[in-house]
Amino acid sequence: MIKCTKCQQIEFVQKSGIVRGKQRYFCKSCNYHFTLPEPHNPPDNKRHHQVTIMDIAGQLGISKSTVSRALRGHTDIHAGTRKIILDLAQQLEYQPNPLANALLKSRTNIIGILVPEFRHYFFPTIIMGAQEILSKAGYNVMICQSDESYETEVANVKALMSSRVDGLLVSVTAQTNNFDHFRTVLRKEVPLVFFNRVCPELDTPQVIVDDYNGAFQAVEHLIEQGYRRIAHLAGPVSLLVSRLRMQGYLDALQKHGFPVENELIIHYDLSEEKARIYANYLLSLSQPPDAIFAINDPTAIEIMLVAKSRGIKIPQELGIVGFSNDPISAIIEPSLTTVEQPVWEMGRQAARLLLEQMESPHNVTHTLDTKLIIRNSSVNLRS
Amino acid sequence: MIKCTKCQQIEFVQKSGIVRGKQRYFCKSCNYHFTLPEPHNPPDNKRHHQVTIMDIAGQLGISKSTVSRALRGHTDIHAGTRKIILDLAQQLEYQPNPLANALLKSRTNIIGILVPEFRHYFFPTIIMGAQEILSKAGYNVMICQSDESYETEVANVKALMSSRVDGLLVSVTAQTNNFDHFRTVLRKEVPLVFFNRVCPELDTPQVIVDDYNGAFQAVEHLIEQGYRRIAHLAGPVSLLVSRLRMQGYLDALQKHGFPVENELIIHYDLSEEKARIYANYLLSLSQPPDAIFAINDPTAIEIMLVAKSRGIKIPQELGIVGFSNDPISAIIEPSLTTVEQPVWEMGRQAARLLLEQMESPHNVTHTLDTKLIIRNSSVNLRS
DNA sequence: CTGTTAGCGCTTTCAA
DNA sequence: TTGAAAGCGCTAACAG
């Protein structure tokens, strides 16, 4: 004896075929087709079945739609019903399955972050800044590091895209000359923000610091300290950041009427090994430099170590300035003069910019200020 | 003329209204409502509709199962069909949607890594080691850092669990005394491996190094160098790693007949600030130590900086030994004697252990070797 | 060898 | 206010 779920009558109900293995009924009184609500039995084979809205609906004898609505906080739901649902959900430790949602909405709430390395202070700190903002906004973060390898970068972008990240925060490798993998990202309309090592030819939003002025001030400082033969151990030409710092270096020389000597300018791939090789090379020149401006602090520190091992006195015989204000630069002896950049803030800005992008795409470049921090590695005692 | 999709008869089918713009039919013979299966047209409103197996199936006029099978590389499929499918997939740049798969299989192919910080060398390096193994095994990595805060750790575990990670690699904070959040993880049968800062009371697999012997050798080395009042700036008692290094310290003292002086032993929370405070405290004692064994390199370096600022000569007036062989320890002056541990390898081992767990749960502890690296901060010139 | 179908967990129409 | 059902993209059991 089946009771119509609509009019609650029994006598007019007849079977009306089987759909999806479920017996369907038809009430001739109210012309209503229906199936009997089945209690949802959590499968016994899955040992730790995650609680689903169906479990809640089953126990309460209501439909999963209602549960969903209650959980989502929809307004058009009976207050009592909502309370019962919410209570049971709490009691059952219900946790919504983000995968189902992700599939439905094509949104994963995951942001991919891709950096060349995180051995040094710089990128980990940026990541922490970004994470601060992103997790507040409800996003998780998937971090990849390309290890300064173009191939790894391409593979990582692919992996992140295949994980369907909702956005991408990227700093490219020193090798990266081809940007097709990022074009693919843009083509699929995944928001993309570059920071530090950006990609100017791609017309995407980016966060950088005022590299040019930072470099300019650093080199001018060396000149003011009386150094006369200032070399620059630069990053690869492919990176805008290298080119900007280089330009700052060149313009500072020019402003003070110093000649540009090509043998004093070296572009390198930012590897520790090469830093050492080129530092040695510079210091072995027949007319070696009396100061070196390094593209960043790790480079500057390698130079210091090489100089020390050759018995060259810093800052008396060799002035050194780095870039970024890595904590080591305050610890090493002599302490390293460097250009401070707001690293943590850069991560935050990049994250904020990405969130904005996801709201409404628009192209901006945020440029943060830098500040010269004068320490002992560049204070020429002769002057 | 419409054929019933159920009984295949034509004569009993009549229109039964329109639902969602689709013509519905009703077969009076078998009492079956149905709509005509429509060919899958990729929606035009979604600008960048991701290519699905349905697109491929539609274009080829075959079923999506066949496409799925071809793509999965099943054997029981016509070679010609496979080729056509594979070719079209390539041409369309088909990328499988991992979300659908994840939902189906309840596997995300994401591993969560939770560390207390990644400012220093240690944890980033471990992470790189782990990533090396995990990405080879086809896993992505979601990294969280608890910033040495218990609350953040709990929140992170919750976030990672709600992201349905397939496994968890964890090093706890210095504050963590309550392990209920990890019990929840175990209850849900998510594989969990601890490394470095482990949780002995939880009966999970773990990767650690031989902290006891490392510490023992470090302190014995100080004794052999002629230091007589050796302090220990230790980590929090809550961490096994602190207790083991402490025990190594105590046993080395005992072996050589040195008294244990409680005022020379300080447990602290591993924050930079406190390191400075306690270093100052130790060096201001009426009978200050003539050597300090620090729980790790960052701590040792803080001590060195404090000592230097007080004009205390290292190693002549104060011997210092750290733990971990952070690259800074080779750079700072004097260079820091430290206990090397295979950090990268630790990450790899932890990852491998996790992968094993996911195959077949079993409880193991991997203990890696340590090695004392003698540098200048502990070579007592008086002896 | 291939097609049909159910279902992973959820939201969202549409219908009632 | 609630329920039914479609559908996100995919795999796999089952049937032919």
Side-chain angles (χ1 to χ4, degrees), chain A residues 12-32:
Chain A
F12 303 101
V13 173
Q14 59 174 51
K15 296 191 175 180
S16 71
I18 294 183
V19 173
R20 282 206 192 190
K22 261 175 102 176
Q23 183 60 253
R24 277 185 76 82
Y25 300 91
F26 179 65
C27 172
K28 286 196 282 186
S29 162
C30 60
N31 270 328
Y32 185 54

Side-chain angles (χ1 to χ4, degrees), chain A residues 69-70 72-79 82:
Chain A
R69 273 187 283 251
R72 284 317 50 248
H74 282 221
T75 47
D76 49 354
I77 191 171
H78 188 82
R82 162 150 62 247

Side-chain angles (χ1 to χ4, degrees), chain A residues 62-72 77 81-82 85:
Chain A
I62 57 179
S63 80
K64 60 177 179 172
S65 334
T66 307
V67 177
S68 171
R69 273 187 283 251
L71 260 20
R72 284 317 50 248
I77 191 171
T81 318
R82 162 150 62 247
I85 294 172

